[in-house]
Amino acid sequence: MKKTVKHCFLFALSLIFAVNVQASEQTEKKPEELTLMLEWFVNPDHGPIIIAQQNGYFKDQGLEVKIQEPADPNLPPKLVAAGDVDLAVYYQPSLIHGVANGLPLAWAGTLVATPLDGLLVLDESPVKSLKDMKGKTIGLNIGGIENAILDTLFEPYGFTSKDVKLVNVGWNLSSSLMSGRVDAIMGAYRNFELNQLAIEGEKGRMFYYEENNIPPYDELIFIANSKKHNKDAIRRFLRAIELGTQYIVNNPDKSWEIFRDYSPEKLNNELNRRAWFDTISRFDLRPAAKDVGRYQAFADFLQSKGELKDKVDARTFMLEL
């Protein structure tokens, strides 16, 4: 009887030891590395990413995320396609273009779930309606789908993008508008340029794309290589992004302080502070949720406007997470 009790005791001790060893091994397991390249320098649009990093949400998901800023904004999709980075922040319309051109890219989550862009004029401008844009000059920074956008905006008024003058003003969008060099700007984000104008003592007025016959789209998304990616790691990454977004929504002031202190010499200014609070409602609360119909509608829109030669099937470039 004593031997039986002793054996049972030793067996229990061995089980406890084995469980403790396994738990210790899991605790000491090295985090999985993910490289994330932003589409541009860190700014309030990246709020959930920075909060997830600073609050330890990536670490809690067993990830070590290396956030990179591109030297050239054209680099992120190329590096993802080449397999040199795991994920990148990108734009929904640009993803569709890239896929149509044969790049191995795929949607891997959503960051900013509404358009931020729009056609911006000064409030004192004689342009009171889109019909007043005929013959006017529009400043933009980079070429893309501007003709499709403008043709749609102007269609109800009987003219097209050919009836306006487009001028590349680089990144001097706000200053070009305030100086009178251009009558309107596009490529201007409602959470930034409107605030930039206000800081400079001007008031802007924006014609929102989604209110003027442009199908709604996601401004910023995460992309991965469609042929080589780690779905499990991406799921955990998006869970951390979700937690970061929830924290921002629940704690807007505290989250601003955390974001600001990530790089105070670059981020602690009035423009970023204003943009932060204007961006909160734009973050996707369900970053892993995909809407194939919405993406298909925008792809069909681009094709109908001559931006795509062939029909693109959204089901083929959206990861099932």
Side-chain angles (χ1 to χ4, degrees), residues 43-65:
N43 63 71
D45 292 341
H46 307 126
I49 300 170
I50 303 305
I51 296 301
Q53 184 81 298
Q54 297 302 94
N55 282 8
Y57 300 146
F58 289 136
K59 184 179 179 180
D60 293 344
Q61 293 296 318
L63 298 173
E64 180 182 346
V65 178

Side-chain angles (χ1 to χ4, degrees), residues 151-163:
D151 285 345
T152 305
L153 294 181
F154 301 152
E155 184 177 8
Y157 308 103
F159 61 101
T160 71
S161 58
K162 294 180 180 179
D163 295 301

